[in-house]
Amino acid sequence: MFDRLIPFLSSIALLIGWEVLMSWPKYFLFSIAAVIIVYLSLLLKLNKWRIKDKDFWLLATPGFGLVIFTTTFLLFLSSNWGKQIVIILVCVASYYFVSYFYYLLRRITSYTPLSLEQTSSYFNIISYLFLAVSLYGFINLLNLKLWYLALLMIAVTAVLTYQFFWINKIEERQNLFASILVSVLMVEYFWAISFFPISHFISGLSLAIIYYTVVNLSLAHFLDKLEKKVARWYLTVGIVCLFVILLSARWL
C-alpha cells in the first residue's frame, strides 16, 4: 500500500522542498539535500533497496536529473509566478514519471509500453535546458570560470546521452562512443555560445535545441532511420528555432 503512494509522496516532497527554498534561500543546501535524499530513498524503496542495480540508476537518471537541475534553475528565475509555475509543472511531471517507475518495478502487467522511454526523452531535454541556463547564469551573474563549468557540462551530457541511448536499446559499445562524441561536440557549442552577448536564458535554450537535434539525429542513425527526410526535418526545425530565438533576443 505504501509503495502505491510513493509517486504522490515524492511529488509532495519536491513541492515542500522547493517552497522552503523559495521562502528561505539561506537554507539552500539543506533544502536540496533533503529533497534529494527523500526523493532517492522513495525510488530505492520501489527497487527494494537494491543499490547496486545498474538498471535502476539508469532508469532513475531522468527523474533524478530533473530534480537537481530544476533546483538550480529556480535560482535564476526572478518572477515568483514563474517559479511557482515551474515547480507545479515539474511536480506533476515527476508524479507521472515515478508512477511509470512503480508500474514497471511492482506491477508490470499494468505498465504501458514505452512510457519510461518517452518520459525519459522529455525529461532529459528539459534537464539539459535547465542545466544550460544554470551554467550560463553562473557565468553571467557569478563570473565563474568557464573551464570548470565546461567539465561539468561534459560529465552531465555524457550521462544524459548514455541514458537516452541505453533506454532506446542501443548497443553498449556504440552507446559509449556516441556519448563521448556528443559530449565533446556539445561542450564546443557550449564554449562558443558563452561568448554571445545574450542572456543566460537565451543561451541555454539555444544549446538545448542543438542538443535535441544532435541526439535525435544520432538515435535515428543507430536505428537505421536516418533518411534524408528525417535529417532535413530535424535540421530545419533546429536551425529555424535557433534563428528565431537569436534574432528576437535582446542582445546585451
Side-chain angles (χ1 to χ4, degrees):
M1 179 61 183
F2 177 78
D3 289 348
R4 186 63 190 93
L5 293 175
I6 285 180
F8 175 74
L9 294 175
S10 62
S11 296
I12 292 298
L14 294 179
L15 179 63
I16 294 174
W18 285 330
E19 291 297 341
V20 169
L21 174 62
M22 296 301 100
S23 300
W24 297 283
K26 64 180 180 179
Y27 295 118
F28 170 77
L29 293 179
F30 172 79
S31 299
I32 184 57
V35 166
I36 290 175
I37 291 172
V38 172
Y39 187 83
L40 189 56
S41 298
L42 290 172
L43 291 184
L44 282 169
K45 175 68 170 61
L46 287 178
N47 199 46
K48 299 180 180 179
W49 302 103
R50 293 194 293 265
I51 298 178
K52 296 182 179 181
D53 185 350
K54 176 184 175 182
D55 289 350
F56 162 79
W57 290 107
L58 287 171
L59 285 171
T61 293
F64 193 54
L66 186 61
V67 169
I68 294 175
F69 299 126
T70 297
T71 305
T72 57
F73 177 72
L74 289 172
L75 297 177
F76 296 98
L77 286 176
S78 57
S79 169
N80 288 327
W81 280 106
K83 292 177 182 178
Q84 295 302 326
I85 291 173
V86 170
I87 289 173
I88 292 172
L89 290 177
V90 173
C91 285
V92 172
S94 179
Y95 171 81
Y96 284 103
F97 175 79
V98 181
S99 293
Y100 298 147
F101 210 83
Y102 164 77
Y103 287 124
L104 179 67
L105 297 178
R106 293 304 182 90
R107 292 180 59 187
I108 188 63
T109 56
S110 300
Y111 175 72
T112 303
L114 301 180
S115 296
L116 278 176
E117 286 85 346
Q118 295 174 352
T119 308
S120 294
S121 176
Y122 298 139
F123 274 30
N124 282 345
I125 295 299
I126 296 172
S127 294
Y128 205 85
L129 170 62
F130 288 175
L131 166 70
V133 171
S134 299
L135 293 186
Y136 285 122
F138 288 138
I139 294 172
N140 293 341
L141 303 180
L142 301 181
N143 201 29
L144 295 186
K145 291 192 176 181
L146 184 61
W147 176 251
Y148 299 126
L149 298 178
L151 292 177
L152 179 60
M153 172 60 72
I154 290 177
V156 175
T157 302
V159 171
L160 292 180
T161 305
Y162 182 89
Q163 195 280 337
F164 176 74
F165 290 141
W166 172 83
I167 204 166
N168 283 284
K169 299 177 176 57
I170 303 303
E171 193 268 331
E172 177 74 12
R173 189 166 69 175
Q174 290 180 319
N175 190 346
L176 283 172
F177 175 76
S179 299
I180 295 172
L181 187 62
V182 171
S183 300
V184 173
L185 179 64
M186 290 309 302
V187 81
E188 291 179 355
Y189 283 120
F190 170 72
W191 196 289
I193 293 175
S194 67
F195 293 103
F196 285 20
I198 51 180
S199 74
H200 43 279
F201 292 103
I202 299 300
S203 297
L205 182 57
S206 300
L207 191 68
I209 290 172
I210 295 173
Y211 178 72
Y212 173 82
T213 304
V214 169
V215 294
N216 279 283
L217 285 175
S218 301
L219 179 62
H221 167 72
F222 288 132
L223 297 178
D224 294 325
K225 295 181 179 179
L226 189 57
E227 302 173 353
K228 288 184 178 179
K229 183 178 180 180
V230 175
R232 190 182 301 116
W233 165 254
Y234 279 112
L235 290 174
T236 300
V237 171
I239 292 172
V240 169
C241 289
L242 280 175
F243 269 103
V244 170
I245 291 169
L246 292 176
L247 291 176
S248 61
R250 182 179 178 182
W251 293 69
L252 303 177

